[in-house]
Amino acid sequence: MTAADKDYIGMWYRARRRCGIDDAIHFAVIDPEGAGERRYSIPHRHHDGIGGLLVLLRQWGVPLPPVPHSRQSSPPPWWQWLRAPGAPPGQPLPWRRLRGPEPHGQVETTCFDPEATAAIMARAKQEHGSLNSLLLHRLHRAVGETLLETPSTGSWLYPVNMRGAVSRPRDDMNLSSGFYVPVAPEQSVAVLYAALREGLRQQQHWRFWHLAHVGRWVGERGVDWLCRRMLEGPGHLGSFSNLGVWRLDLGAAGFSDSACLAVCGPGSPNHPVANGAIIVNGRLTLSLRVDASLTAGRLATRKCLNLWRHFLLEEDA
């Protein structure tokens, strides 16, 4: 096996599992007019979100559309990513002391019809941002009002798809990097959009990508040690995730035309607000999972998700 064949990103998720942290990416198809609700789990140690979706589509026999690729076709010169700013340090966050009933860490999902989805996408343009900046902006507001004692500034990991920019033997491997973006309660969508664009321009995701491959030199034991140190330190709010826009023949898998497909990342104690967005056949779905370490319970998770939805739909949000 060559270095290009080995999944060094997956090595971090194997290390997390050895620390007792689940690495499951949660998928669901919600089809009230057909097959009902079906849930699926894909291990992040083997696949990222897009990779997990590709695995499921192949299992279902759904014809694959063009797979999303990076706008970059090759890595930048080393000096560009080396001078990019590093990740902001984690910080103590004023999490509410929630004591929701067990089980904790359940995934909650909400679906939008095509009309509402189109309205949300139009609103992103009206607020001089992208869909991702609008979704993250409203998620941050919802978290501040439901899971924190007071709305606060905190950082989110913003994933970046590396397919097409790096060469790997399979398109369903862990091919995502990312960078951290601080978000403040008073920040506008336009300002957040500019911060995301600046992070990409500075090649911060390439710095993250190369640092995440440290296992090539320190091995599994070294990554285990680093992972434990990171989990013991102050955390971030979570990792934002949007798998993008897809046109899929879900009928080939036995689902109805109105079925919604949902995804949610695994999260962790120091990235406790796991979430996921995806648009399939014109329908946006949002999912939310609050790490069990916050003992939020299903009702608190649903309240946060409902407020996220409300902020996206309301004119005065």
Side-chain angles (χ1 to χ4, degrees):
M1 177 183 291
T2 68
D5 296 330
K6 191 171 181 63
D7 189 345
Y8 291 102
I9 306 297
M11 190 180 286
W12 289 93
Y13 290 95
R14 292 193 295 274
R16 284 169 31 126
R17 280 177 57 83
R18 286 189 282 271
C19 293
I21 301 173
D22 187 20
D23 73 329
I25 305 173
H26 304 272
F27 287 88
V29 178
I30 302 167
D31 187 13
E33 297 181 8
E37 183 173 335
R38 297 183 181 178
R39 294 188 175 272
Y40 308 86
S41 178
I42 297 291
H44 212 324
R45 60 189 179 276
H46 299 314
H47 312 279
D48 62 8
I50 291 177
L53 178 58
L54 295 177
V55 168
L56 290 176
L57 295 178
R58 287 170 175 141
Q59 290 178 359
W60 297 341
V62 173
L64 291 183
V67 177
H69 278 67
S70 169
R71 294 182 179 179
Q72 295 175 285
S73 58
S74 62
W78 63 269
W79 52 267
Q80 286 189 6
W81 63 261
L82 192 61
R83 69 183 185 185
Q91 61 187 56
L93 292 162
W95 296 109
R96 291 190 180 185
R97 297 183 178 180
L98 300 167
R99 293 293 183 268
E102 295 184 359
H104 301 133
Q106 300 299 298
V107 178
E108 297 292 323
T109 297
T110 187
C111 304
F112 298 82
D113 61 29
E115 292 74 22
T117 299
I120 291 169
M121 296 178 74
R123 175 158 299 157
K125 292 183 179 180
Q126 292 168 4
E127 298 195 25
H128 307 288
S130 63
L131 177 62
N132 278 346
S133 59
L134 178 70
L135 292 175
L136 179 55
H137 179 269
R138 299 302 202 260
L139 172 61
H140 187 82
R141 282 192 60 190
V143 168
E145 295 196 17
T146 58
L147 301 179
L148 299 177
E149 291 286 355
T150 182
S152 305
T153 298
S155 57
W156 295 86
L157 179 61
Y158 184 79
V160 178
N161 180 20
M162 304 294 278
R163 287 169 177 81
V166 296
S167 177
R168 291 295 183 271
R170 302 193 328 272
D171 61 2
D172 62 4
M173 293 177 67
N174 278 295
L175 285 164
S176 295
S177 184
F179 58 91
Y180 285 93
V181 57
V183 184
E186 68 279 2
Q187 203 167 18
S188 68
V189 171
V191 170
L192 177 54
Y193 179 48
L196 295 174
R197 287 173 58 87
E198 181 64 11
L200 292 169
R201 188 195 67 79
Q202 293 177 339
Q203 313 285 359
Q204 291 184 29
H205 53 298
W206 282 104
R207 180 185 180 95
F208 195 96
W209 174 261
H210 288 291
L211 290 176
H213 282 66
V214 68
R216 183 174 180 178
W217 294 278
V218 303
E220 295 270 1
R221 293 180 63 182
V223 171
D224 287 351
W225 183 85
L226 290 169
C227 186
R228 288 193 300 270
R229 289 290 302 271
M230 292 171 66
L231 290 170
E232 291 168 358
H236 305 269
L237 286 166
S239 177
F240 175 77
S241 179
N242 182 3
L243 297 194
V245 180
W246 298 75
R247 180 63 61 178
L248 301 174
D249 180 13
L250 294 179
F255 300 110
S256 73
D257 292 339
S258 61
C260 293
L261 193 152
V263 61
C264 188
S268 68
N270 67 346
H271 291 73
V273 183
N275 56 88
I278 187 171
I279 297 176
V280 174
N281 301 336
R283 292 178 171 85
L284 170 67
T285 62
L286 301 176
S287 298
L288 192 68
R289 177 182 181 270
V290 180
D291 190 77
S293 60
L294 296 186
T295 63
R298 182 176 183 179
L299 290 178
T301 303
R302 172 55 64 173
K303 181 179 180 181
C304 184
L305 178 64
N306 287 344
L307 197 58
W308 188 11
R309 179 187 179 98
H310 168 78
F311 286 153
L312 286 166
L313 291 176
E314 293 298 312
E315 293 290 343
D316 59 349

